[in-house]
Amino acid sequence: MRKGNWIAICLSLLFIGLFAVGFYTLNDVQIESTFKIDEQNIMEKNGDHYLLINERELALPKDFYDKIELEKYNKYKIKYVYNRIKKNDGEVVMLKRYGEQPWGQ
């Protein structure tokens, strides 16, 4: 093959790869709402915590898990992100007690 053909093939593969990544990224969905949480909404698998919201298992980072105080509060403002292409993919990106002010309680 000539050098020009290799360049055309490489550029085509690059374009297809960028298109696939762009398509996947465009299917990201971000939801922010207030949810009532109880112990049934929190689960643990292999040492990781998950929050069950709207039939989705959302990865719950440890710092957010530590903020949940179900014995005192059960309403939380939660923002999560998931991808429509993947069935059970998602992650909590913000969690704060409903009514909590940014400067404290």
Side-chain angles (χ1 to χ4, degrees):
M1 279 193 180
R2 294 185 345 203
K3 186 176 183 178
N5 289 346
W6 279 106
I7 292 174
I9 291 171
C10 289
L11 287 175
S12 297
L13 291 175
L14 180 65
F15 176 75
I16 291 169
L18 288 174
F19 179 77
V21 168
F23 179 75
Y24 182 81
T25 303
L26 285 175
N27 281 293
D28 280 348
V29 177
Q30 181 174 317
I31 306 287
E32 182 174 349
S33 188
T34 303
F35 297 95
K36 187 174 181 179
I37 299 176
D38 56 22
E39 291 193 22
Q40 297 168 345
N41 296 96
I42 300 172
M43 60 183 278
E44 184 177 351
K45 283 186 188 176
N46 302 325
D48 296 325
H49 291 94
Y50 294 88
L51 191 59
L52 299 173
I53 294 181
N54 297 333
E55 300 179 12
R56 290 196 175 277
E57 285 182 16
L58 305 169
L60 184 64
K62 182 169 176 21
D63 56 327
F64 292 150
Y65 175 75
D66 292 340
K67 289 174 82 173
I68 297 174
E69 301 176 46
L70 294 178
E71 60 277 351
K72 292 183 182 179
Y73 312 105
N74 63 354
K75 284 179 98 175
Y76 289 87
K77 188 169 186 175
I78 299 171
K79 184 188 304 184
Y80 64 93
V81 179
Y82 70 93
N83 194 295
R84 285 183 264 185
I85 294 174
K86 288 181 138 181
K87 171 80 175 138
N88 227 357
D89 179 38
E91 178 181 12
V92 175
V93 293
M94 190 265 307
L95 181 139
K96 62 182 177 180
R97 184 175 46 85
Y98 179 73
E100 179 180 24
Q101 301 300 320
W103 53 84
Q105 305 187 18

